[in-house]
Amino acid sequence: MNESVQTSQTQDQQFMPVWLRLFPFFLSAFLFLSVFFTLFAPLPLLSLAIRTNIKKVALALAVNTAIVLFLGGPSSACFFVTFVGGVVLALPYCLFTRNFSVNKSVAVTVVSIIFSVGVIFSLYCMSQQIAPMVWLEQQVQVVFDQVLAVSAGDSTKLFGGLPPEVAKKNLIQEFPSTLFIFSLIMVWVNFLMLFKFSPLVFKSKLNLDFTFLKTWRAPDYLVWPTILSGATLLIDMGTLSLVGLNVFKVLLSIYAIQGLSVLSYFLDHWKVTGMLRSAGYLIVVFLVTPFLLALGFFDFWFNFRSKVKST
């Protein structure tokens, strides 16, 4: 099976038009700069990584970084290398070279991104001789000023109804969990897209098929840290509650993925496809998010998918 997959990939590369083979050398940069498709920026490079060698991947990453640097400036290039480069270099290596499990591969990739952000952030602050928290507050203030300028100074309906100063403080305090959640979403979304586009590769090398997407479960041991971190929010305990809030949001993001897996299972069971299926995902994710979180979290005790099997 491995040989047949490799042979088909080689044939695909031989008969693929030159212009199509050049896509990974610039498409990631334009997806990243588009803002609306930033999450999908690693995908062209990931598709290249699973069918060629690391040297070509590194070259494509360098070319895309140069494009981002030219069009978006040094800050955008740093973000591109950190997030997109982190996904492209770490995820295929963990999955196909080290043969890690999906959970471990995603975790290592997310941690690699966060570590890279920390290193670049620290080096930048040292070079500018500015405290990290001061720089972060300045950047948040710039964002808030731009939002308020667009809204003509009307902040009554912005930031969830909170005053700008309170919203800014919350954003700074919750920055660690925001960074983790954004990194997790980027890694998981690109893993799913790569899985959808290259099922034979995942089947031959990792023995994974599409049933994995609707049977995935978060590790059982995460349920107790989730309960404990949530308990710290019931009583104001200062720094401990702040740490608990960030941990709680991180763990809930993982259970949101499990909720999507449960939802996918039921949609398959009810044979919901096409636009109706897409609408179902959008409604659950954006309109009834608490339901999605509860579905993933309480699946630990109730195992909703087994109830369908038993009936």
Coordinates of all heavy atoms in Angstrom, one line a residue, residues 18-92:
V18 N 3.3 22.8 -14.5 CA 4.3 23.5 -13.8 C 3.7 24.6 -13.0 O 4.0 24.8 -11.8 CB 5.3 24.2 -14.8 CG1 6.3 25.1 -14.1 CG2 6.0 23.1 -15.6
W19 N 2.7 25.3 -13.5 CA 2.0 26.4 -12.8 C 1.4 25.9 -11.5 O 1.3 26.6 -10.5 CB 1.0 27.2 -13.6 CG -0.1 26.4 -14.1 CD1 -0.2 25.6 -15.3 CD2 -1.4 26.2 -13.4 NE1 -1.4 25.0 -15.4 CE2 -2.2 25.3 -14.2 CE3 -1.9 26.6 -12.2 CZ2 -3.4 24.9 -13.9 CZ3 -3.2 26.2 -11.9 CH2 -3.9 25.4 -12.7
L20 N 0.8 24.7 -11.5 CA 0.2 24.1 -10.4 C 1.2 23.7 -9.3 O 1.0 23.9 -8.1 CB -0.7 22.9 -10.8 CG -1.7 22.4 -9.7 CD1 -2.6 23.5 -9.3 CD2 -2.4 21.2 -10.3
R21 N 2.4 23.2 -9.8 CA 3.4 22.9 -8.8 C 4.1 24.1 -8.2 O 4.7 24.0 -7.1 CB 4.5 22.1 -9.6 CG 4.2 20.6 -9.8 CD 5.3 19.8 -10.4 NE 5.3 20.0 -11.9 CZ 6.2 19.5 -12.7 NH1 7.2 18.8 -12.1 NH2 6.1 19.7 -14.0
L22 N 3.9 25.3 -8.8 CA 4.4 26.5 -8.2 C 3.5 27.1 -7.1 O 4.0 28.0 -6.4 CB 4.7 27.5 -9.3 CG 5.8 27.2 -10.3 CD1 5.9 28.2 -11.4 CD2 7.2 27.1 -9.6
F23 N 2.3 26.6 -7.1 CA 1.3 27.2 -6.1 C 1.9 27.3 -4.7 O 1.7 28.3 -4.0 CB 0.0 26.4 -6.1 CG -1.0 27.0 -7.1 CD1 -0.7 28.1 -7.9 CD2 -2.3 26.5 -7.1 CE1 -1.6 28.7 -8.7 CE2 -3.2 27.0 -7.9 CZ -2.9 28.1 -8.8
P24 N 2.5 26.2 -4.1 CA 2.9 26.3 -2.7 C 4.0 27.3 -2.5 O 4.3 27.7 -1.3 CB 3.5 24.9 -2.5 CG 2.8 24.0 -3.5 CD 2.6 24.8 -4.7
F25 N 4.7 27.8 -3.6 CA 5.7 28.8 -3.4 C 5.3 30.2 -3.3 O 6.1 31.1 -3.0 CB 6.7 28.7 -4.6 CG 7.6 27.4 -4.6 CD1 7.1 26.2 -5.1 CD2 8.8 27.4 -4.0 CE1 7.9 25.1 -5.1 CE2 9.6 26.3 -3.9 CZ 9.1 25.1 -4.5
F26 N 3.9 30.4 -3.4 CA 3.4 31.8 -3.2 C 2.0 31.8 -2.6 O 1.6 32.8 -2.0 CB 3.4 32.6 -4.5 CG 2.5 32.0 -5.5 CD1 1.2 32.4 -5.6 CD2 3.0 31.1 -6.5 CE1 0.3 31.9 -6.6 CE2 2.1 30.6 -7.5 CZ 0.8 31.0 -7.5
L27 N 1.3 30.7 -2.7 CA -0.1 30.8 -2.3 C -0.3 31.0 -0.8 O -1.2 31.7 -0.3 CB -0.8 29.5 -2.7 CG -2.4 29.4 -2.5 CD1 -3.0 30.6 -3.1 CD2 -2.9 28.1 -3.0
S28 N 0.6 30.4 0.0 CA 0.5 30.5 1.5 C 0.6 32.0 1.9 O -0.1 32.4 2.8 CB 1.6 29.7 2.2 OG 1.3 28.3 2.1
A29 N 1.5 32.7 1.3 CA 1.7 34.1 1.6 C 0.5 34.9 1.3 O 0.1 35.7 2.2 CB 2.9 34.7 0.8
F30 N -0.2 34.7 0.2 CA -1.4 35.5 -0.1 C -2.5 35.1 0.7 O -3.4 35.9 1.1 CB -1.7 35.3 -1.6 CG -0.7 36.0 -2.5 CD1 0.2 35.3 -3.3 CD2 -0.7 37.4 -2.6 CE1 1.1 36.0 -4.1 CE2 0.2 38.1 -3.4 CZ 1.2 37.4 -4.1
L31 N -2.7 33.8 1.1 CA -3.7 33.4 2.0 C -3.5 34.1 3.4 O -4.5 34.5 4.0 CB -3.7 31.9 2.2 CG -4.2 31.1 1.0 CD1 -4.0 29.6 1.3 CD2 -5.7 31.3 0.7
F32 N -2.3 34.1 3.8 CA -2.0 34.7 5.1 C -2.3 36.2 5.1 O -2.9 36.8 6.0 CB -0.5 34.5 5.4 CG 0.0 35.2 6.7 CD1 -0.2 34.5 7.9 CD2 0.6 36.4 6.7 CE1 0.2 35.1 9.1 CE2 1.0 37.0 7.9 CZ 0.8 36.3 9.1
L33 N -1.9 36.9 4.0 CA -2.2 38.4 3.9 C -3.6 38.7 3.7 O -4.0 39.9 3.8 CB -1.3 39.0 2.8 CG 0.2 38.9 3.1 CD1 1.0 39.3 1.8 CD2 0.6 39.8 4.3
S34 N -4.4 37.8 3.2 CA -5.8 38.0 2.9 C -6.7 38.3 4.1 O -7.8 38.8 4.0 CB -6.4 36.9 2.1 OG -6.5 35.7 3.0
V35 N -6.2 37.9 5.3 CA -6.9 38.0 6.6 C -8.0 37.0 6.7 O -8.1 36.2 7.7 CB -7.4 39.5 6.9 CG1 -8.2 39.5 8.2 CG2 -6.3 40.5 6.8
F36 N -8.9 37.0 5.8 CA -10.1 36.1 5.8 C -9.7 34.6 5.7 O -10.4 33.8 6.2 CB -11.1 36.5 4.7 CG -11.7 37.8 4.8 CD1 -11.3 38.9 4.0 CD2 -12.7 38.1 5.8 CE1 -11.8 40.1 4.1 CE2 -13.2 39.3 5.9 CZ -12.8 40.3 5.1
F37 N -8.6 34.3 5.0 CA -8.1 33.0 4.8 C -6.8 32.7 5.5 O -6.1 31.7 5.2 CB -8.0 32.7 3.3 CG -9.3 32.8 2.6 CD1 -9.5 33.9 1.8 CD2 -10.3 31.8 2.7 CE1 -10.7 34.1 1.1 CE2 -11.5 32.0 2.0 CZ -11.7 33.1 1.2
T38 N -6.5 33.5 6.5 CA -5.2 33.3 7.3 C -5.1 31.9 7.9 O -4.0 31.3 7.9 CB -5.1 34.4 8.3 OG1 -5.0 35.7 7.7 CG2 -3.8 34.2 9.2
L39 N -6.2 31.4 8.4 CA -6.1 30.1 9.1 C -5.7 29.0 8.1 O -5.1 28.0 8.5 CB -7.5 29.7 9.6 CG -7.9 30.3 11.0 CD1 -9.3 29.9 11.4 CD2 -6.9 29.9 12.1
F40 N -5.9 29.2 6.8 CA -5.6 28.1 5.8 C -4.3 28.3 5.2 O -3.9 27.6 4.3 CB -6.7 28.1 4.8 CG -8.1 27.9 5.3 CD1 -9.0 29.0 5.4 CD2 -8.5 26.6 5.7 CE1 -10.2 28.8 5.9 CE2 -9.8 26.5 6.3 CZ -10.6 27.5 6.4
A41 N -3.5 29.3 5.6 CA -2.2 29.6 5.0 C -1.2 28.5 5.0 O -0.5 28.3 4.1 CB -1.6 30.9 5.7
P42 N -1.2 27.6 6.1 CA -0.2 26.5 6.0 C -0.6 25.4 5.0 O 0.3 24.6 4.7 CB -0.3 26.0 7.5 CG -0.9 27.1 8.3 CD -1.8 27.8 7.4
L43 N -1.8 25.3 4.6 CA -2.3 24.2 3.8 C -1.5 23.9 2.5 O -1.1 22.8 2.3 CB -3.8 24.3 3.5 CG -4.4 23.1 2.9 CD1 -4.3 21.9 3.8 CD2 -5.9 23.4 2.6
P44 N -1.2 24.9 1.7 CA -0.4 24.7 0.5 C 1.0 24.1 0.8 O 1.5 23.2 0.1 CB -0.3 26.0 -0.2 CG -1.5 26.8 0.3 CD -1.7 26.3 1.7
L45 N 1.6 24.6 1.8 CA 2.9 24.1 2.2 C 2.8 22.7 2.8 O 3.7 21.9 2.6 CB 3.6 25.1 3.2 CG 4.0 26.4 2.6 CD1 4.4 27.4 3.7 CD2 5.2 26.2 1.6
L46 N 1.8 22.5 3.5 CA 1.6 21.1 4.1 C 1.4 20.1 3.0 O 1.9 19.0 3.1 CB 0.4 21.1 5.1 CG 0.6 21.7 6.4 CD1 -0.7 21.8 7.2 CD2 1.6 21.0 7.2
S47 N 0.6 20.5 2.0 CA 0.4 19.5 0.9 C 1.7 19.3 0.1 O 2.0 18.2 -0.4 CB -0.6 20.1 -0.1 OG -0.1 21.3 -0.7
L48 N 2.6 20.2 0.1 CA 3.9 20.0 -0.5 C 4.8 19.2 0.4 O 5.6 18.3 0.0 CB 4.6 21.4 -0.7 CG 6.0 21.4 -1.3 CD1 6.0 20.9 -2.7 CD2 6.7 22.8 -1.2
A49 N 4.7 19.3 1.7 CA 5.5 18.6 2.7 C 5.3 17.1 2.7 O 6.2 16.3 2.9 CB 5.3 19.2 4.1
I50 N 4.0 16.7 2.4 CA 3.7 15.3 2.4 C 4.1 14.5 1.1 O 4.0 13.3 1.0 CB 2.3 15.0 2.8 CG1 1.3 15.5 1.7 CG2 1.9 15.5 4.1 CD1 -0.1 15.1 1.9
R51 N 4.5 15.3 0.1 CA 4.9 14.7 -1.2 C 6.2 15.1 -1.7 O 6.5 14.8 -2.9 CB 3.8 15.0 -2.2 CG 3.5 16.5 -2.5 CD 2.4 16.7 -3.5 NE 2.0 18.1 -3.7 CZ 2.6 18.9 -4.5 NH1 3.6 18.5 -5.2 NH2 2.2 20.1 -4.6
T52 N 7.1 15.7 -0.9 CA 8.4 16.0 -1.3 C 9.3 16.1 -0.1 O 8.9 15.8 1.0 CB 8.4 17.4 -2.1 OG1 9.7 17.6 -2.7 CG2 8.1 18.5 -1.1
N53 N 10.6 16.5 -0.4 CA 11.6 16.5 0.7 C 11.6 17.8 1.4 O 11.0 18.8 1.0 CB 13.0 16.2 0.1 CG 13.4 17.2 -1.0 OD1 13.5 18.4 -0.7 ND2 13.5 16.6 -2.2
I54 N 12.3 17.8 2.6 CA 12.3 19.0 3.5 C 13.0 20.2 2.8 O 12.7 21.3 3.1 CB 13.0 18.6 4.8 CG1 12.9 19.7 5.8 CG2 14.5 18.2 4.5 CD1 11.5 20.1 6.2
K55 N 14.0 19.9 1.9 CA 14.7 21.0 1.3 C 13.7 21.9 0.4 O 13.8 23.1 0.5 CB 15.8 20.5 0.4 CG 17.0 19.9 1.2 CD 18.1 19.4 0.3 CE 19.2 18.8 1.1 NZ 20.3 18.3 0.2
K56 N 12.9 21.2 -0.3 CA 11.9 22.0 -1.2 C 10.9 22.7 -0.3 O 10.5 23.8 -0.6 CB 11.2 21.0 -2.1 CG 10.4 21.7 -3.2 CD 9.8 20.7 -4.2 CE 11.0 20.2 -5.1 NZ 10.4 19.3 -6.2
V57 N 10.5 22.0 0.8 CA 9.6 22.7 1.7 C 10.2 23.9 2.3 O 9.5 25.0 2.4 CB 9.1 21.7 2.9 CG1 8.3 22.4 3.9 CG2 8.4 20.5 2.3
A58 N 11.5 23.8 2.8 CA 12.2 25.0 3.3 C 12.3 26.1 2.3 O 12.1 27.3 2.7 CB 13.5 24.5 3.8
L59 N 12.6 25.8 1.1 CA 12.7 26.8 0.0 C 11.3 27.5 -0.2 O 11.3 28.7 -0.3 CB 13.1 26.1 -1.3 CG 13.2 27.0 -2.5 CD1 14.2 28.2 -2.3 CD2 13.6 26.2 -3.8
A60 N 10.2 26.7 -0.3 CA 8.9 27.3 -0.4 C 8.5 28.2 0.7 O 8.0 29.2 0.5 CB 7.9 26.1 -0.6
L61 N 8.9 27.7 1.9 CA 8.6 28.5 3.1 C 9.4 29.9 3.1 O 8.9 30.9 3.4 CB 9.0 27.8 4.4 CG 8.7 28.5 5.7 CD1 7.3 28.8 5.9 CD2 9.2 27.6 6.9
A62 N 10.7 29.8 2.6 CA 11.5 31.0 2.5 C 10.9 32.0 1.5 O 10.9 33.2 1.7 CB 12.9 30.6 2.2
V63 N 10.5 31.4 0.4 CA 9.9 32.3 -0.7 C 8.6 33.0 -0.2 O 8.4 34.2 -0.4 CB 9.6 31.5 -2.0 CG1 8.9 32.3 -3.0 CG2 11.0 31.0 -2.6
N64 N 7.8 32.2 0.4 CA 6.5 32.8 1.0 C 6.8 33.8 2.0 O 6.2 34.9 2.1 CB 5.6 31.7 1.6 CG 4.8 30.9 0.5 OD1 3.8 31.4 0.1 ND2 5.3 29.8 0.1
T65 N 7.8 33.6 2.9 CA 8.2 34.5 3.9 C 8.7 35.8 3.3 O 8.4 36.9 3.7 CB 9.3 34.0 4.8 OG1 8.8 32.7 5.4 CG2 9.6 34.9 5.9
A66 N 9.5 35.7 2.2 CA 10.0 36.9 1.5 C 8.8 37.7 0.9 O 8.8 39.0 1.0 CB 10.9 36.5 0.4
I67 N 7.8 37.0 0.4 CA 6.6 37.7 -0.2 C 5.9 38.5 1.0 O 5.5 39.6 0.8 CB 5.7 36.7 -0.9 CG1 6.4 36.1 -2.1 CG2 4.4 37.4 -1.3 CD1 5.6 35.0 -2.8
V68 N 5.7 37.8 2.1 CA 5.0 38.4 3.2 C 5.8 39.6 3.7 O 5.3 40.7 4.1 CB 4.8 37.4 4.4 CG1 4.2 38.1 5.6 CG2 3.8 36.3 3.9
L69 N 7.1 39.5 3.8 CA 8.0 40.6 4.2 C 7.9 41.8 3.3 O 7.8 42.9 3.8 CB 9.5 40.1 4.3 CG 10.5 41.1 4.7 CD1 10.3 41.6 6.1 CD2 11.9 40.5 4.6
F70 N 7.9 41.5 2.0 CA 7.8 42.6 1.0 C 6.5 43.3 1.1 O 6.4 44.5 1.0 CB 8.1 42.0 -0.4 CG 8.0 43.1 -1.5 CD1 9.0 44.0 -1.6 CD2 6.9 43.1 -2.3 CE1 8.9 45.0 -2.6 CE2 6.8 44.0 -3.3 CZ 7.8 45.0 -3.5
L71 N 5.4 42.5 1.2 CA 4.1 43.1 1.1 C 3.5 43.6 2.5 O 2.7 44.5 2.5 CB 3.1 42.1 0.5 CG 3.4 41.7 -1.0 CD1 2.4 40.7 -1.5 CD2 3.3 43.0 -1.9
G72 N 3.9 42.9 3.5 CA 3.3 43.1 4.8 C 4.3 43.7 5.9 O 3.8 44.2 6.9
G73 N 5.6 43.7 5.6 CA 6.5 44.2 6.6 C 7.1 43.2 7.5 O 6.7 42.0 7.5
P74 N 8.0 43.6 8.4 CA 8.7 42.7 9.3 C 7.8 42.0 10.3 O 8.0 40.8 10.6 CB 9.7 43.6 10.0 CG 9.9 44.7 9.1 CD 8.6 44.9 8.4
S75 N 6.8 42.7 10.8 CA 5.9 42.1 11.8 C 5.1 41.0 11.2 O 5.0 39.9 11.8 CB 5.0 43.2 12.4 OG 5.7 44.2 13.1
S76 N 4.6 41.2 10.0 CA 3.8 40.2 9.4 C 4.7 39.0 9.1 O 4.2 37.8 9.2 CB 3.2 40.7 8.1 OG 2.3 41.8 8.4
A77 N 5.9 39.2 8.6 CA 6.8 38.1 8.3 C 7.1 37.3 9.6 O 7.2 36.1 9.5 CB 8.1 38.7 7.7
C78 N 7.3 38.0 10.7 CA 7.5 37.2 12.0 C 6.3 36.4 12.3 O 6.5 35.2 12.7 CB 7.8 38.2 13.1 SG 9.5 39.0 13.0
F79 N 5.1 36.9 12.2 CA 3.9 36.1 12.5 C 3.8 35.0 11.5 O 3.4 33.8 11.9 CB 2.7 37.0 12.4 CG 2.4 37.8 13.6 CD1 2.6 39.2 13.6 CD2 1.9 37.2 14.8 CE1 2.3 40.0 14.7 CE2 1.7 38.0 15.9 CZ 1.9 39.3 15.9
F80 N 4.1 35.2 10.3 CA 4.1 34.1 9.3 C 5.0 33.0 9.6 O 4.6 31.8 9.6 CB 4.4 34.7 7.9 CG 4.3 33.7 6.8 CD1 3.1 33.4 6.2 CD2 5.4 33.0 6.3 CE1 2.9 32.4 5.2 CE2 5.3 32.1 5.3 CZ 4.1 31.8 4.7
V81 N 6.3 33.3 9.9 CA 7.3 32.3 10.2 C 6.9 31.5 11.5 O 7.0 30.3 11.5 CB 8.7 32.9 10.4 CG1 9.6 31.9 10.9 CG2 9.2 33.5 9.1
T82 N 6.4 32.3 12.5 CA 6.0 31.6 13.7 C 4.8 30.7 13.6 O 4.9 29.5 14.0 CB 5.7 32.7 14.8 OG1 6.8 33.6 14.9 CG2 5.4 32.1 16.1
F83 N 3.7 31.2 13.1 CA 2.5 30.4 13.0 C 2.5 29.4 11.8 O 2.3 28.2 12.0 CB 1.3 31.3 13.0 CG 1.0 32.0 14.3 CD1 1.5 33.2 14.6 CD2 0.4 31.3 15.4 CE1 1.3 33.9 15.8 CE2 0.2 31.9 16.6 CZ 0.6 33.2 16.8
V84 N 2.6 29.9 10.7 CA 2.6 29.1 9.5 C 3.8 28.2 9.4 O 3.7 27.0 9.2 CB 2.5 29.9 8.2 CG1 2.5 29.1 6.9 CG2 1.2 30.8 8.2
G85 N 5.0 28.7 9.6 CA 6.2 27.9 9.6 C 6.2 26.8 10.7 O 6.6 25.7 10.5
G86 N 5.6 27.2 11.9 CA 5.5 26.2 13.0 C 4.7 25.0 12.6 O 5.0 23.9 12.8
V87 N 3.5 25.3 12.0 CA 2.6 24.2 11.6 C 3.3 23.4 10.5 O 3.3 22.1 10.5 CB 1.3 24.8 11.1 CG1 0.4 23.7 10.5 CG2 0.6 25.5 12.2
V88 N 3.9 24.0 9.5 CA 4.4 23.3 8.3 C 5.6 22.4 8.7 O 5.7 21.3 8.2 CB 4.8 24.3 7.2 CG1 5.6 23.7 6.1 CG2 3.6 25.0 6.7
L89 N 6.4 22.9 9.6 CA 7.6 22.1 9.9 C 7.4 21.1 11.0 O 8.0 20.0 10.9 CB 8.7 23.1 10.4 CG 9.2 24.1 9.4 CD1 10.3 25.0 10.0 CD2 9.8 23.4 8.2
A90 N 6.5 21.4 12.0 CA 6.3 20.5 13.1 C 5.3 19.4 12.8 O 5.5 18.2 13.2 CB 5.9 21.3 14.3
L91 N 4.2 19.7 12.2 CA 3.1 18.7 12.1 C 3.4 17.6 11.2 O 3.3 16.4 11.7 CB 1.8 19.4 11.6 CG 0.5 18.6 11.6 CD1 0.2 18.1 13.0 CD2 -0.6 19.4 11.1
P92 N 3.9 17.7 10.0 CA 4.3 16.6 9.2 C 5.4 15.8 9.8 O 5.5 14.5 9.7 CB 4.7 17.2 7.8 CG 4.1 18.5 7.8 CD 4.1 19.0 9.2

